[in-house]
Amino acid sequence: MTKKVERNYLEIFSIQDLRINHDIELDYTITLLEPSDFQINKFFYKNVGKKYDWVDRLNWTDKQWIEYSSNEKVKTYILKIDDDLAGFYELIIHYEKKEVEIAYLGLLENYLNKKLGSYLLTSAIKNSFENKDIKRTWVHTCSLDHKNALNNYLSRGMKIFKKEIITI
């Protein structure tokens, strides 16, 4: 069975363009995963992604996960609520292009619809511009992702630069 999927590519060029949301009352932290731990990346990819048909990494070996997550260009951040794992995002730094890709971003099912996605995205954008040489942060989302994903990106100040329809 084939399905038509709308994919949107979004970008933001400056931390000054970031619009921040400030209405959360949970005890949460977002921290860089140091040292890298491929099991954490694998856990979030599988558990967040199962709801949104993330399939490109499902057949990765542990060796592939280790190579990816330990790459110096990949930074994984973990969201914890009261010390429980709640969400994550992965940034891939493209130094040669002076840009950062938000590769994956998502919440575990128990933490959906609590406005945490906006905090996760705000953190991802802030952390992507930590290196002053970075001139652009970008991401792509599609119609398979959470129903609020596209609005979240737009609400944080990102702009669509490309749209496409793909068949899967």
Side-chain angles (χ1 to χ4, degrees), residues 141-161:
T141 188
C142 74
S143 53
L144 297 174
D145 289 339
H146 189 278
K147 63 182 180 176
N148 296 330
L150 181 59
N151 273 344
N152 188 20
Y153 294 118
L154 294 170
S155 295
R156 301 289 74 75
M158 299 187 90
K159 307 275 190 247
I160 295 172
F161 69 90

Side-chain angles (χ1 to χ4, degrees), residues 55-92:
V55 297
D56 55 319
R57 296 183 187 175
L58 289 179
N59 62 352
W60 277 16
T61 64
D62 283 352
K63 183 179 182 210
Q64 287 172 294
W65 278 106
I66 291 167
E67 286 173 1
Y68 173 78
S69 64
S70 64
N71 184 315
E72 67 179 24
K73 294 180 179 183
V74 175
K75 306 292 181 202
T76 302
Y77 291 81
I78 304 300
L79 168 66
K80 289 185 178 180
I81 307 290
D82 298 320
D83 291 325
D84 291 330
L85 295 175
F88 84 122
Y89 60 87
E90 295 174 356
L91 301 179
I92 301 175

Side-chain angles (χ1 to χ4, degrees), residues 21-36:
N21 186 349
H22 290 291
D23 60 348
I24 191 168
E25 296 179 15
L26 295 172
D27 183 17
Y28 73 96
T29 60
I30 299 174
T31 55
L32 176 63
L33 183 61
E34 284 186 307
S36 65

Side-chain angles (χ1 to χ4, degrees), residues 3-57:
K3 185 189 308 190
K4 300 268 186 210
V5 176
E6 180 181 310
R7 185 184 293 162
N8 290 287
Y9 294 80
L10 300 100
E11 62 191 356
I12 189 167
F13 292 97
S14 167
I15 195 72
Q16 285 77 31
D17 295 333
L18 174 62
R19 291 191 293 257
I20 299 173
N21 186 349
H22 290 291
D23 60 348
I24 191 168
E25 296 179 15
L26 295 172
D27 183 17
Y28 73 96
T29 60
I30 299 174
T31 55
L32 176 63
L33 183 61
E34 284 186 307
S36 65
D37 180 346
F38 81 97
Q39 294 287 11
I40 297 286
N41 292 75
K42 187 176 178 180
F43 167 81
F44 275 115
Y45 181 86
K46 288 183 173 185
N47 286 283
V48 172
K50 66 184 172 188
K51 189 173 177 96
Y52 307 111
D53 292 327
W54 295 357
V55 297
D56 55 319
R57 296 183 187 175

